[in-house]
Amino acid sequence: MKTAMIKISLAALLSASAAFGAFAQEFTKGVVNKVDAKANKVTIKHEDLKNLDMPAMTMVFRVEDPALLEKLKEGSNIEFVAERVNGKLTVTEVK
């Protein structure tokens, strides 16, 4: 009985920590260089992307949600989250 209870508790703890990890994305500062609305892409000069283990640089990202493109203006300072989505670097959040 005790072993089953420990397994259930452990499973609950692991699923809770996995859920927390999904919401604890770290925002990175950057400057928008170019917005390509037709291709759903944005060029950003960014600081280190710690979650992707990537140094500061300028690069092109996909934008999965076209509504995010409306928040992006060339020359503006942003904070964003980038992740690998289907193997492609993608901006998933902007503030």
Side-chain angles (χ1 to χ4, degrees), residues 49-67:
L49 292 168
K50 294 180 179 118
N51 64 319
L52 297 172
D53 198 24
M54 188 174 291
M57 65 177 79
T58 301
M59 60 185 299
V60 177
F61 294 90
R62 289 183 60 236
V63 178
E64 215 167 47
D65 180 3

Side-chain angles (χ1 to χ4, degrees), residues 30-46 58-65 68-76 78 80-82 89-94:
V31 178
V32 177
N33 282 4
K34 181 180 176 184
V35 177
D36 185 348
K38 288 181 183 175
N40 283 339
K41 293 184 179 180
V42 61
T43 305
I44 302 173
K45 180 179 181 180
H46 61 80
T58 301
M59 60 185 299
V60 177
F61 294 90
R62 289 183 60 236
V63 178
E64 215 167 47
D65 180 3
L68 285 180
L69 288 172
E70 296 172 17
K71 296 180 179 182
L72 304 172
K73 304 282 182 247
E74 291 180 18
S76 62
I78 60 168
F80 69 102
V81 175
L89 295 172
T90 305
V91 173
T92 56
E93 291 183 63
V94 176

Side-chain angles (χ1 to χ4, degrees), residues 2 5 7 9-10 14 17 19 22-23 25 27 32 36-38 48 63 65-68 70 72 76 83 86 93-94:
K2 254 187 176 179
M5 190 62 137
K7 286 181 182 177
S9 296
L10 183 59
L14 289 174
S17 65
F23 294 111
Q25 290 296 338
F27 281 83
V32 177
D36 185 348
K38 288 181 183 175
D48 293 353
V63 178
D65 180 3
L68 285 180
E70 296 172 17
L72 304 172
S76 62
E83 301 176 72
N86 298 323
E93 291 183 63
V94 176

